[in-house]
Amino acid sequence: MALPSPAPLLTAADLVVGYAAKKTPHPVAGPLQLALWPGELVCLLGPNGAGKSTLLRTLAGLQPALGGQLAVGGQSLADLRAPERARQLSIVLTDRIDAGNLTVRELVRLGRHPHTGWLGGLSAHDEAQVQAALEATGTEAFAPRPVGELSDGERQKVLLARALAQDTPVVLLDEPTAHLDLPNRVALMRLLHRLARQTGKAILLSTHELDLALQAADRVWLLPATGALRTGTPEDLVLSGDFAAAFVHEGLAFDAATGTFALHAPTGPAVQLVGDGAAAFWTRRALEREGFVPTTGPADLRVTVPPGSPATWLSQAAGQPPQTHATVEELLRALRQTPSGQLAGPAANNGLR
Amino acid sequence: MRPAQLSATPASLAAGPRRPAWLLALAGLVLLGFVLDIALGPVRIPVLAVVKILLGQPTDNPAWAFIVREIRLPKALTALAVGSGLAVSGLQMQTLFRNPLAGPSALGLTAGAGLGVAVVMLAGGSVANGFAIRALGLAGSWTLVLAATTGAGLVMALVLALSARVRDNVVLLIVGLMLASVTGAIVSLWQYFSAPEQIQEYLLWTFGSLGGVVGSHLAVLAAVVGVGLVLAFASAKPLNALLLGENYARSMGLTVGRSRTLIIASTSLLAGAITAFCGPIGFVGIAVPHLTRALLRTADHRLLLPGACLGGAALTLACDCVAQLPGSQTSLPLSVVTSLLGAPVVLWVVLRRQNIRSSLT
């Protein structure tokens, strides 16, 4: 792992971001104290409307800050001329790409813009950087193809390659995982994590993929709707309760024990779940979906997952003989038919159906 | 990047092996059209004689030499300026607006230039009683160019000011069409209250013609188009950056405001001057960029700009040849021919390529 060098690549002090409509400032978030270090992947998380895109666009110099200081590479962002800024910061936006006639290589070449002369001709060094960016993102194979023919996942990698070809210490990405299917989301996060380690760049991305971000990010910038940003490793933010608090406004309950958001509100009776391993984990998920509250303590209803393969399930209501089930589906069907009079609490089948 | 990746073999710089060949072929077409355009007309002059006269060699027919030097050569040179200028102005607008339907006429530029011309012609006419562009001296031509360019520039600036507020390109296009409609209505209103002979001059102007731009007029047209083209070629790198939209362009270090001003200046000069001298010649501006992209299969403006220049010149020369109606004494209005000939060509190109949407910009 690349050790963080003592100097941060990007710093912000008392930064206020937002819009100035009709000369009246509309602050969205701030004041923020931020630092990006070399070689780290940082995920910017927060509910919709918290100002994630606004913050990214401000850091990239695409819109002015409403207040505070912002420095890149030790220089104030406001003092940098546009080409100098473009050699410090690159960004992947959510903007639609209309230029379908561009080939992948031509699009990645555009990233060399701040490094070329007034005619935009590419030197051998520029071409080497383009090639390196294509190889690093695994897009070299379709370099001759027009951008308009790419899938969403391919296009996102190509846009990342363009940002890499810009050869900046800091790379910003605005929701790069949106519109991607799960395998592509995982692949992109893995790629970004690897790139941060290998190249020593600081990579900051905003995302709604909380699960992935908690796994992949070296640090998380957590921007709640209140605008009071918290930063730290994902683990520290989860354990401190900041993570759950940031999303509480969306009516979501974050379970620090499992690292997931609860989809189902438990309303049914308690079920004692006995067993461990993968089979027990997935049985627990099925019981939660059905509205049961799985516990480890004694309850009127007991489900046992004996060790062994293939898995079998034993269910037993109080005072009844145990039943054996070959699949989770059979187990659930039997549990639904358990007379509610025998159980403490309301009927069991009020889950999501 | 890692040093190990840096040492990787750089890919070939060649942007497709056939692209320079296509540019050469286009240049050949322009040359052919140039000679043919001079040869054709009410008096047919053999191609060999045309070449001889153009090369400054003595000919046995002094009448031919006179026709070529005084009438046909200026007209062919005008065709070169008109074709390349309109095509380049259309290419710049399509990239700037990221809209395949943009062009000098679609966004109201030609109408704006027309309003400028109408102001000079109809207002001036009331003083000097019905005079044509041809009757105006050098000072007159500058006035006309200035008026037409100002008209085109005002419309373009208005469209751009609105484009900052209106993000949707389709809405912007409707705005341009409405602006064209309003300027057209103002001109109509003016005509309604003008004397018939003044209207006739204006109507003749609206048919579009390459003829009559001789001497100092041609010099003025060539100079203005030359400046416009130089500005356009200087904008090749900004235009490439703008392919991904203004936000990406800005993030790559482009000063978008300055580049946009440069592009508008170039477009307005080209469309304004050409419309002033030759009338509203439709179609070349919107069609040639598409044909060039389809031919060169690239979005790189360092190739597209020369390609559009040559393609526009070739198409205009070809249309002017057809307008002579070979074998007859009459000639058709140029704007009619460009539309009649050009529209089917573009339809064919667009329908042949299935990915219409992505291939256009």
Side-chain angles (χ1 to χ4, degrees):
Chain A
M1 152 163 189
L3 285 171
S5 82
L9 295 173
L10 180 149
T11 55
D14 300 322
L15 180 69
V16 181
V17 300
Y19 294 91
K22 289 173 183 145
K23 298 192 176 166
T24 321
H26 291 280
V28 177
L32 310 171
Q33 325 298 331
L34 304 167
L36 271 181
W37 301 84
E40 66 174 1
L41 177 68
V42 177
C43 286
L44 174 58
L45 303 176
N48 278 327
K52 297 193 295 292
S53 288
T54 312
L55 175 56
L56 280 178
R57 291 168 50 86
T58 308
L59 293 182
L62 294 181
Q63 69 181 71
L66 295 185
Q69 288 85 44
L70 191 53
V72 187
Q75 285 177 289
S76 166
L77 192 70
D79 295 343
L80 285 180
R81 290 165 49 82
E84 291 165 351
R85 193 188 64 218
R87 287 192 283 269
Q88 294 289 336
L89 292 156
S90 56
I91 188 167
V92 175
L93 296 158
T94 49
D95 298 18
R96 210 167 66 96
I97 300 298
D98 287 331
N101 229 16
L102 276 177
T103 66
V104 167
R105 188 179 292 275
E106 283 175 327
L107 190 147
V108 176
R109 276 189 184 133
L110 289 179
R112 297 304 296 167
H113 190 275
H115 302 276
T116 57
W118 73 277
L119 261 180
L122 268 68
S123 67
H125 172 71
D126 290 321
E127 288 290 349
Q129 293 275 325
V130 169
Q131 182 67 19
L134 287 169
E135 283 169 9
T137 51
T139 50
E140 199 203 356
F142 39 92
R145 276 169 59 191
V147 175
E149 292 176 8
L150 299 180
S151 73
D152 289 339
E154 289 169 337
R155 186 167 52 249
Q156 208 61 48
K157 281 198 260 181
V158 169
L159 289 173
L160 174 63
R162 188 211 59 78
L164 291 181
Q166 205 171 325
D167 194 24
T168 56
V170 180
V171 179
L172 311 171
L173 301 99
D174 194 3
E175 298 199 14
T177 52
H179 309 301
L180 298 188
D181 58 14
L182 186 60
N184 273 312
R185 289 201 293 265
V186 173
L188 188 70
M189 291 295 267
R190 188 182 289 162
L191 171 64
L192 289 171
H193 191 261
R194 183 167 55 80
L195 283 172
R197 286 285 187 281
Q198 289 179 348
T199 61
K201 293 178 191 297
I203 300 181
L204 170 67
L205 68 134
S206 69
T207 182
H208 286 290
E209 295 300 321
L210 304 174
D211 284 4
L212 275 175
L214 289 180
Q215 291 183 59
D218 295 310
R219 284 196 303 138
V220 165
W221 292 4
L222 196 59
L223 191 61
T226 57
L229 182 105
R230 303 299 305 266
T231 67
T233 63
E235 295 75 16
D236 283 334
L237 290 176
V238 166
L239 293 173
S240 67
D242 287 318
F243 197 80
F247 292 94
V248 78
H249 294 289
E250 294 196 335
L252 288 177
F254 182 76
D255 184 354
T258 60
T260 56
F261 284 88
L263 183 62
H264 312 286
T267 49
V271 174
Q272 183 187 6
L273 181 62
V274 184
D276 47 29
F281 172 80
W282 290 102
T283 308
R284 180 190 177 87
R285 297 261 294 234
L287 291 174
E288 283 172 346
R289 185 171 67 245
E290 284 293 317
F292 293 104
V293 181
T295 68
T296 48
D300 288 344
L301 202 56
R302 189 168 67 201
V303 171
T304 311
V305 189
S309 178
T312 53
W313 287 265
L314 291 170
S315 70
Q316 189 172 20
Q320 302 280 323
Q323 290 177 289
T324 309
H325 313 284
T327 61
V328 174
E329 189 171 357
E330 281 180 23
L331 168 71
L332 294 180
R333 198 180 298 137
L335 290 177
R336 280 177 209 139
Q337 285 161 359
T338 306
S340 57
Q342 297 177 3
L343 305 170
N349 54 354
N350 53 358
L352 277 185
R353 265 184 295 124
Chain B
M1 293 288 107
R2 283 179 304 173
Q5 288 173 336
L6 270 180
S7 62
T9 328
S12 158
L13 269 165
R18 300 206 324 267
R19 281 166 192 163
W22 276 119
L23 284 183
L24 268 179
L26 277 177
L29 263 181
V30 171
L31 207 64
L32 186 73
F34 193 77
V35 172
L36 264 183
D37 191 44
I38 293 174
L40 292 175
V43 178
R44 186 171 292 180
I45 304 171
V47 171
L48 214 63
V50 170
V51 174
K52 266 188 172 175
I53 296 166
L54 287 180
L55 291 178
Q57 290 173 3
T59 60
D60 38 359
N61 193 331
W64 286 355
F66 179 82
I67 292 174
V68 167
R69 270 202 302 274
E70 298 300 318
I71 300 167
R72 304 234 179 124
L73 184 60
K75 197 181 62 155
L77 288 174
T78 308
L80 280 185
V82 166
S84 49
L86 286 179
V88 165
S89 118
L91 176 63
Q92 292 188 93
M93 289 189 73
Q94 286 173 10
T95 301
L96 184 61
F97 286 109
R98 290 205 290 161
N99 192 322
L101 292 176
S105 45
L107 282 174
L109 245 80
T110 312
L115 182 61
V117 168
V119 168
V120 172
M121 273 200 186
L122 301 176
S126 61
V127 181
N129 197 20
F131 62 103
I133 313 172
R134 296 167 182 79
L136 289 165
L138 187 61
S141 73
W142 279 113
T143 316
L144 211 59
V145 171
L146 204 67
T149 308
T150 309
L154 279 177
V155 171
M156 186 83 181
L158 202 57
V159 169
L160 260 162
L162 287 165
S163 79
R165 301 172 64 92
V166 183
R167 284 274 163 223
D168 194 328
N169 281 335
V170 178
V171 176
L172 196 63
L173 203 67
I174 297 171
V175 167
L177 289 173
M178 290 307 112
L179 282 177
S181 171
V182 168
T183 43
I186 294 174
V187 172
S188 296
L189 200 66
W190 204 324
Q191 287 178 336
Y192 185 75
F193 290 109
S194 294
E197 58 270 24
Q198 291 173 320
I199 297 170
Q200 196 191 1
E201 292 297 339
Y202 184 78
L203 274 183
L204 278 177
W205 174 82
T206 62
F207 278 125
S209 164
L210 298 176
V213 187
V214 289
S216 59
H217 291 170
L218 183 57
V220 169
L221 177 66
V224 177
V225 169
V227 169
L229 287 181
V230 166
L231 286 181
F233 278 85
S235 307
K237 189 184 169 187
L239 283 168
N240 278 345
L242 283 166
L243 279 172
L244 299 182
E246 282 184 19
N247 281 327
Y248 270 116
R250 203 169 276 131
S251 86
M252 291 189 283
L254 187 75
T255 322
V256 171
R258 200 170 55 199
S259 304
R260 196 146 73 161
T261 311
L262 200 69
I263 294 166
I264 296 166
S266 164
T267 310
S268 305
L269 277 178
L270 291 170
I274 291 166
T275 310
F277 282 109
C278 305
I281 293 167
F283 209 74
V284 177
I286 186 171
V288 172
H290 293 315
L291 296 173
T292 313
R293 277 190 215 100
L295 194 67
L296 299 180
R297 288 183 175 260
T298 182
D300 186 348
H301 288 81
R302 286 175 299 152
L303 284 167
L304 284 179
L305 282 167
C309 253
L310 294 170
L315 185 74
T316 311
L317 284 167
C319 285
D320 195 46
C321 287
V322 174
Q324 303 303 323
L325 287 180
S328 88
Q329 295 293 311
T330 40
S331 65
L332 300 173
L334 185 68
S335 57
V336 174
V337 181
T338 51
S339 293
L340 278 181
L341 216 76
V345 173
V346 166
L347 273 180
W348 175 69
V349 168
V350 164
L351 293 179
R352 204 175 56 109
R353 303 202 60 185
Q354 292 303 306
N355 52 341
I356 296 170
R357 181 69 218 166
S358 66
S359 72
L360 288 186
T361 41

